[in-house]
Amino acid sequence: MKSSHLLKLGGTALLLLGLCFQAWAQNPRLNQYILGDGLTFTGDKDYTVNLRGYFQPYYEYKSFTDPAIDQGVQRFRMRRLRLRLSGEAAQQKIEYRFQADFSGNSETGDEAAGFLFDAWVAYNFNRRIRLTFGQKATPTDNRELWMGSNTLMLVERSRLTSSFASIREFGLFADATWWINGGHYLRPYLTLTNGDGVNVVGNDHGGLKVGGRLDYLPFGLFTYFGQFRQADVVRELSPKLVIGGYYNINYGMSSRRGRGSGDIIYLNNDNEESLPDYAKFGADLMFKYRGITVIAEYAASSATVPDDITQRVRNDGTVSRTFEVDGVQNIENYVKGRLMLGQAFNIQAGYMFRSRYSIDGRFTHIEADQHSFLNNGTFYNRPNYYTLGLSKYFGKGYGFKIQASLTYVNAAAGSNDIYSLPMDGDEWIARVITTFSF
């Protein structure tokens, strides 16, 4: 375990704790409680602390159109169980957040995740420019990923997100908000991270990841942080639109898409690590007006494979010089075949009625490169997803809601069922989730 990683995490934690203690030393009092927005305490010297959380009981049933598979698969679980502490010291221009998840699930639900989700401290140079250090959701992923999980229009995030997003990263994040004459806004973002997803507690493999995003808001800012929440519960009184694009490159990546460190290792003849560079770019938009929400996203990825790779490290730690693809030794194609390479687009739209019912739909298309882990028959190899959802919101915000969705999954030839057995046909997935936020 590298001491530098412990220092990073420990330093961030100490800063958060110090700020919390400082806030509580200022005779804190409960200022307000709003269902979904938590308990907000204020101090004598403009200190603010907010405590909130939510949990999501979840049910899923998957069936197959293949007549040879005569039984569906169901599961019950706690989809998310989050607790978040955040606050600000306005006079010192400091903001902070700590968020933990007790469910053991990742944000996209397709693999296990750690306990720590957010741990960062931000310094506001002025009302426009902010610098953040720590672990947080990265703005150089697609737009859906950095919207609150308890505000989603549908039960689950799109397959574009689970295929390409790195979710959370540890590093430096800079962002700004610039007002332009006429009520327009520009929001640029720059990131410099370790490129290994959440905090790394083992050896740090590869180099750094750099990226940027630029958002344009032609009709002004969204109401009540609506740019970072999905369903239009506030029913925007005037049209709101954000259009953005992003790019990032991970120099020396040792996982499929940048969510881990040391998952996939290659060596050269000198037994030194030699890892591929992984680039990702995309564009997206979100529109809201009087209960209508439209989100459209495009993402693509590519990889550059070093020409000095001669060995690969197996899961058990042994080394092999075999890189066979379709019975032929091909190092470049073998390496690419273990990465998430390809492109995808996702479009979803919904309408929030005044009765607080919401009807939503989504279409996601994924197009894998010839050599890509997106062709894996068990976990991917499914180019099209069609989803229809119905939600009921109680109260004014996102505090309590019940959602159900039905998804038709188009499985390409060569796909497998959940037991890795070949199947001939497509899939249906029914989901139900309840969200309670305090």
Side-chain angles (χ1 to χ4, degrees), residues 133-401:
F133 173 68
Q135 179 173 299
K136 66 189 295 286
T138 174
T140 58
D141 271 332
N142 58 299
R143 185 169 301 282
E144 184 195 43
L145 190 277
W146 44 311
M147 293 180 178
S149 303
N150 59 329
T151 74
L152 299 181
M153 299 163 57
L154 292 155
V155 175
E156 279 288 7
R157 298 185 187 272
S158 74
R159 198 56 169 162
L160 182 153
T161 298
S162 60
S163 296
F164 293 100
S166 55
I167 307 181
R168 281 173 169 81
E169 298 180 10
F170 200 109
L172 288 170
F173 305 83
D175 62 89
T177 300
W178 300 101
W179 179 80
I180 305 173
N181 289 337
H184 308 253
Y185 285 83
L186 281 177
R187 280 184 161 167
Y189 303 83
L190 295 174
T191 64
L192 176 64
T193 68
N194 61 358
D196 299 321
V198 296
N199 184 63
V200 178
V201 295
N203 291 331
D204 193 353
H205 300 272
L208 296 176
K209 177 180 178 180
V210 296
R213 167 185 276 273
L214 181 62
D215 280 351
Y216 172 56
L217 293 87
F219 308 132
L221 301 179
F222 288 72
T223 303
Y224 196 50
F225 303 103
Q227 182 181 340
F228 309 101
R229 301 173 175 183
Q230 283 199 3
D232 185 19
V233 298
V234 301
R235 300 181 60 87
E236 295 281 1
L237 297 178
S238 61
K240 301 297 181 183
L241 175 67
V242 56
I243 304 173
Y246 61 92
Y247 175 84
N248 58 73
I249 182 168
N250 194 334
Y251 293 101
M253 190 175 70
S254 59
S255 61
R256 300 199 190 280
R257 60 174 85 70
R259 290 186 191 171
S261 179
D263 299 338
I264 304 174
I265 297 295
Y266 302 101
L267 307 173
N268 58 26
N269 279 328
D270 296 324
N271 292 322
E272 299 170 337
E273 288 187 3
S274 182
L275 304 174
D277 296 338
Y278 183 82
K280 183 170 58 180
F281 60 92
D284 44 49
L285 65 84
M286 181 171 66
F287 173 82
K288 288 185 176 183
Y289 180 55
R290 294 188 180 275
I292 298 172
T293 301
V294 178
I295 299 174
E297 303 169 297
Y298 170 80
S301 62
S302 63
T304 302
V305 179
D307 56 13
D308 65 341
I309 292 178
T310 58
Q311 306 171 76
R312 59 183 175 89
V313 180
R314 297 188 180 99
N315 291 336
D316 61 4
T318 61
V319 175
S320 173
R321 291 180 178 269
T322 303
F323 293 83
E324 287 192 1
V325 178
D326 298 326
V328 179
Q329 179 85 348
N330 191 311
I331 295 176
E332 180 176 358
N333 290 343
Y334 182 93
V335 172
K336 288 184 175 181
R338 302 177 77 186
L339 300 174
M340 306 296 275
L341 298 176
Q343 58 183 340
F345 68 81
N346 174 66
I347 182 166
Q348 59 191 66
Y351 179 71
M352 174 78 69
F353 293 90
R354 293 186 182 277
S355 61
R356 305 286 289 172
Y357 281 95
S358 177
I359 297 178
D360 308 281
R362 176 166 67 203
F363 171 64
T364 304
H365 173 72
I366 299 175
E367 189 173 317
D369 286 356
Q370 180 180 0
H371 301 286
S372 168
F373 193 74
L374 288 171
N375 295 313
N376 180 278
T378 300
F379 302 104
Y380 297 96
N381 200 39
R382 289 150 174 81
N384 299 308
Y385 297 77
Y386 308 84
T387 301
L388 182 64
L390 175 65
S391 303
K392 170 59 177 175
Y393 293 74
F394 301 86
K396 295 183 179 181
Y398 304 95
F400 177 46
K401 62 178 178 175

Side-chain angles (χ1 to χ4, degrees), residues 105-142:
N105 297 310
S106 77
E107 184 53 50
T108 55
D110 56 352
E111 56 191 42
F115 168 81
L116 179 66
F117 269 57
D118 293 314
W120 53 260
V121 178
Y123 179 75
N124 296 285
F125 291 93
N126 49 48
R127 297 182 63 180
R128 297 190 301 269
I129 302 173
R130 179 175 64 173
L131 181 66
T132 304
F133 173 68
Q135 179 173 299
K136 66 189 295 286
T138 174
T140 58
D141 271 332
N142 58 299

Side-chain angles (χ1 to χ4, degrees), residues 55 86 99 166 198 348 426:
F55 58 91
S86 60
Q99 181 174 211
S166 55
V198 296
Q348 59 191 66
D426 298 325

